[in-house]
Amino acid sequence: MAVTRFQFLSTFSRQFSSISNAHIVQPKLRIEEIRGKRISIFDKEYKRQQSLIPRLEKIEVAYEGFDNETTTLVMNKGVSTPYNCAQHISEHLMKNSVVAEVNGEIWDLHRPIPSDCTLKLLSMKPEDQHQASLVNKTFWRSCSYLLGAVVEGSFQDDISVTLHSFPPANVRSGSFVYDVQLSLDDWVPSLNDFRQIAATFQKFVRQNHTFQRLDIDSSVALKMFEDNVFKADQIPHIATKSSSGNTVTVYRCGDHIDISRGPMIASTSLVGRCSIAAVHRLDSRIYRFQGVALPSEIYINHFAFGILETRARKLNPARTPELKSN
């Protein structure tokens, strides 16, 4: 699997397996089996949607570059993506673009373009302040997603790990967040635990996984996440807020699939130095994992990054997840 499960929690596994009140929150398969099932559903639905494209139609994409320079590209409707456009323009754009603007709407770099449009490609250092805010939120949101991917695959099989959700990106909070339910009472991770989670995070992002977006019917989403009671409960509410009233957006990155409205960054290679700063216990065995990261093209010294880590250790003020009683 893409996120390597490591052994740092084996001690906790043995300890909590022998304590009567350390029950499994819900029956679960091995995470590899769950992920394999989700990927199978994702691939099947993706192929189904691709088959609905009867024939290739051409569209015109007006790329707006620096100094209002415009380049018109002829691309394939519903197939070509902003990334494909970048490939036709320059290698620099292809490697450094984080997210796109399609007709003024923030857009995933690997999301197909549905019609004639204007296109802008945004890097991690846009001059426009509004664009900079959008890029920062996209980066933070993607890091939360990746944190969930890493945490889900980090514990031994006898510890239940159920991803709940991550709050909207808020760069000013000082940390990206994922709230996770663990079948552990009052777990306090060690410094080594933090280091190993961070090491696994770094290993995952260095594998240069792209983020693949797919809009699916809520019935497909429910089947995909039937092993997660929280996601299954959230899906109907999420679907009602979609433009169709019955659609959920999911992203695949490596062997991990999760729900998010997006957009996400183009690939994990855009994530540089990172740290898992804190784990705070909330209610009902929900633990808030918090991290901090820099884009790969931004470098700061150890002292400055330490200041960011210290800030990221404080409990993120994002709303606590609402849990239904079982």
Side-chain angles (χ1 to χ4, degrees):
M1 67 191 264
V3 179
T4 303
R5 180 172 300 190
F6 46 84
Q7 302 296 318
F8 82 101
L9 281 168
S10 59
T11 300
F12 289 106
S13 299
R14 292 190 294 270
Q15 175 185 351
F16 282 92
S17 294
S18 62
I19 299 177
S20 60
N21 66 350
H23 60 277
I24 300 299
V25 175
Q26 64 179 103
K28 77 181 193 75
L29 301 171
R30 290 172 55 87
I31 191 60
E32 293 90 347
E33 296 173 316
I34 293 174
R35 287 182 167 180
K37 184 197 71 174
R38 290 175 185 167
I39 288 172
S40 176
I41 296 172
F42 185 100
D43 288 344
K44 181 178 179 180
E45 177 61 16
Y46 175 78
K47 290 178 181 178
R48 187 193 70 81
Q49 291 187 22
Q50 290 295 108
S51 70
L52 297 178
I53 302 175
R55 60 187 177 84
L56 292 182
E57 298 179 27
K58 298 299 180 180
I59 57 174
E60 289 191 354
V61 178
Y63 167 68
E64 298 179 356
F66 297 107
D67 299 323
N68 296 318
E69 179 183 352
T70 301
T71 302
T72 300
L73 303 171
V74 178
M75 308 300 289
N76 294 319
K77 178 180 179 179
V79 176
S80 298
T81 67
Y83 182 80
N84 297 139
C85 294
Q87 289 177 310
H88 287 287
I89 300 171
S90 74
E91 185 177 358
H92 175 78
L93 277 175
M94 183 182 70
K95 290 183 176 180
N96 292 281
S97 296
V98 177
V99 70
E101 273 192 9
V102 173
N103 288 337
E105 179 182 353
I106 196 76
W107 200 267
D108 295 275
L109 217 65
H110 297 286
R111 181 182 178 184
I113 301 171
S115 60
D116 294 346
C117 69
T118 59
L119 171 69
K120 294 180 180 180
L121 298 171
L122 309 182
S123 69
M124 282 304 308
K125 299 178 181 179
E127 295 182 1
D128 181 84
Q129 289 300 311
H130 176 65
Q131 290 180 343
S133 176
L134 293 175
V135 169
N136 284 336
K137 288 183 178 179
T138 300
F139 181 79
W140 222 237
R141 180 186 304 112
S142 304
C143 286
S144 284
Y145 173 105
L146 294 170
L147 180 58
V150 169
V151 171
E152 186 181 57
S154 292
F155 290 78
Q156 297 297 297
D157 289 327
D158 56 344
I159 296 176
S160 178
V161 183
T162 309
L163 299 185
H164 186 285
S165 58
F166 55 94
N170 181 1
V171 180
R172 291 185 177 181
S173 70
S175 61
F176 55 83
V177 172
Y178 211 115
D179 294 327
V180 183
Q181 187 179 61
L182 305 175
S183 58
L184 298 173
D185 290 317
D186 299 319
W187 172 54
V188 179
S190 68
L191 180 60
N192 188 54
D193 294 338
F194 285 117
R195 288 173 177 170
Q196 293 204 52
I197 298 175
T200 304
F201 193 108
Q202 286 281 11
K203 181 178 180 180
F204 186 52
V205 300
R206 287 171 182 167
Q207 292 171 343
N208 193 21
H209 297 294
T210 59
F211 283 85
Q212 183 180 4
R213 175 190 174 112
L214 190 66
D215 296 324
I216 60 178
D217 188 85
S218 60
S219 61
V220 178
L222 285 169
K223 184 177 180 181
M224 186 178 287
F225 291 96
E226 63 184 1
D227 300 294
N228 185 312
V229 294
F230 301 128
K231 305 289 184 184
D233 182 60
Q234 296 159 10
I235 285 169
H237 177 68
I238 294 171
T240 59
K241 291 188 173 184
S242 67
S243 58
S244 67
N246 197 41
T247 304
V248 175
T249 301
V250 297
Y251 282 85
R252 176 181 176 180
C253 187
D255 65 352
H256 183 67
I257 297 174
D258 204 351
I259 300 169
S260 176
R261 288 181 297 178
M264 297 291 181
I265 60 176
S267 76
T268 60
S269 65
L270 295 166
V271 181
R273 185 173 182 178
C274 74
S275 173
I276 308 305
V279 178
H280 295 280
R281 183 178 180 273
L282 306 179
D283 294 331
S284 301
R285 294 185 173 182
I286 294 288
Y287 290 82
R288 175 159 290 176
F289 287 76
Q290 299 180 188
V292 63
L294 295 175
S296 56
E297 62 182 271
I298 296 179
Y299 301 92
I300 61 176
N301 61 43
H302 178 75
F303 177 78
F305 191 77
I307 295 174
L308 297 179
E309 287 181 302
T310 299
R311 184 185 178 197
R313 292 189 186 104
K314 298 177 181 179
L315 176 63
N316 191 294
R319 187 180 65 178
T320 301
E322 297 179 3
L323 304 176
K324 292 184 177 181
S325 57
N326 294 328

